[in-house]
């Protein structure tokens, strides 16, 4: 029996995934949660073999949850399941320890096949997204540049970003200038849009 944990913030999608998996005689859904901050504790309680994690969730995203699972439940194999076909998400998911990455428009039978293959020790990656990731190349932004761009994109001023990250205003300006140059943008707002489109934030 393959024990599965589902983390998905949309109630309808969460319920549909659970129903689909529970219909299979060799799969048991042992935990269903609505946010990434619940994943590690739920896994510790229920001992899943496979975790299906959405990338974007309100409080803690699936990428952060995957990294925490790798530490707290190393035997649990993670599959990211998302509606966003952004190459940067794939790269970050692999770095976080995920062994599967599929899109939400995947046919049901392919999702079931992914769960079984990942459980059997395989790595399963959406082929079109893998190719886009190769073509796009690695994330050019450093972690700090990504943090600065993310906060600035949410409307933060230079002073607010500096205070939040405990940096000087000059340092924040330098990080923003670097991020703008690396993304080929003209403004910090455009840099944020480009970085978000590629899944770098």
């Amino acid at each position: 029996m393959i024990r599965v944990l589902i983390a998905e913030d949309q109630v309808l999608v969460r319920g549909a995934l659970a129903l689909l998996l529970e219909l299979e005689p060799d799969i048991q859904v042992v935990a269903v949660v609505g946010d990434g901050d619940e994943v590690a504790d739920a896994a510790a309680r229920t001992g899943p073999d496979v975790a299906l994690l959405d990338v974007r969730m309100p409080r803690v995203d699936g990428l952060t949850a995957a990294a925490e699972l790798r530490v707290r439940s190393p035997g649990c194999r993670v599959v990211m399941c998302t509606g966003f076909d952004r190459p940067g998400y794939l790269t970050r998911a692999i770095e976080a320890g995920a062994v599967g990455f599929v899109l939400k428009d995947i046919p049901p039978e392919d999702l079931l096949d992914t769960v079984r293959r990942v459980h059997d020790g395989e790595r399963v990656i959406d082929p079109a997204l893998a190719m886009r990731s190769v073509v796009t190349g690695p994330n050019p932004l450093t972690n700090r540049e990504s943090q600065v761009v993310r906060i600035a994109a949410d409307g933060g001023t230079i002073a607010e970003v500096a205070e939040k990250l405990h940096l000087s205003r000059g340092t924040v300006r330098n990080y923003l200038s670097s991020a703008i140059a690396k993304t080929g943008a003209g403004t910090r707002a455009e840099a944020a849009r480009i970085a978000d489109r590629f899944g770098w934030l």
Side-chain angles (χ1 to χ4, degrees), residues 2 50 77 113-123:
I2 304 171
V50 176
R77 296 176 64 77
D113 182 59
T114 295
V115 170
R116 292 184 176 109
R117 288 170 61 193
V118 163
H119 177 258
D120 289 342
E122 293 184 50
R123 194 179 280 270

Side-chain angles (χ1 to χ4, degrees), residues 5-44:
L5 177 151
I6 298 169
E8 163 63 54
D9 63 316
Q10 296 182 12
V11 177
L12 186 60
V13 176
R14 190 164 68 230
L17 282 172
L19 182 60
L20 171 69
L21 294 170
E22 282 285 3
L23 288 173
E24 298 301 301
D26 60 334
I27 297 176
Q28 178 187 9
V29 176
V30 295
V32 180
V33 300
D35 208 315
D37 61 357
E38 304 171 81
V39 169
D41 287 343

Side-chain angles (χ1 to χ4, degrees), residues 158-176:
I158 297 289
E160 288 168 343
V161 175
E163 182 179 353
K164 190 163 190 175
L165 296 178
H166 308 291
L167 300 170
S168 72
R169 295 182 187 188
T171 300
V172 169
R173 286 191 188 92
N174 289 341
Y175 280 130
L176 282 174

Side-chain angles (χ1 to χ4, degrees), residues 98-121:
V99 294
F101 197 105
V102 297
L103 300 177
K104 286 182 180 176
D105 62 359
I106 187 173
E109 59 271 21
D110 289 352
L111 178 61
L112 295 170
D113 182 59
T114 295
V115 170
R116 292 184 176 109
R117 288 170 61 193
V118 163
H119 177 258
D120 289 342

Side-chain angles (χ1 to χ4, degrees), residues 63 86-96 101 133 137-139 200:
L63 301 168
R86 297 175 181 172
Y89 283 165
L90 173 57
T91 303
R92 291 164 61 198
I94 291 171
E95 289 171 353
F101 197 105
S133 182
N139 179 358
W200 295 334

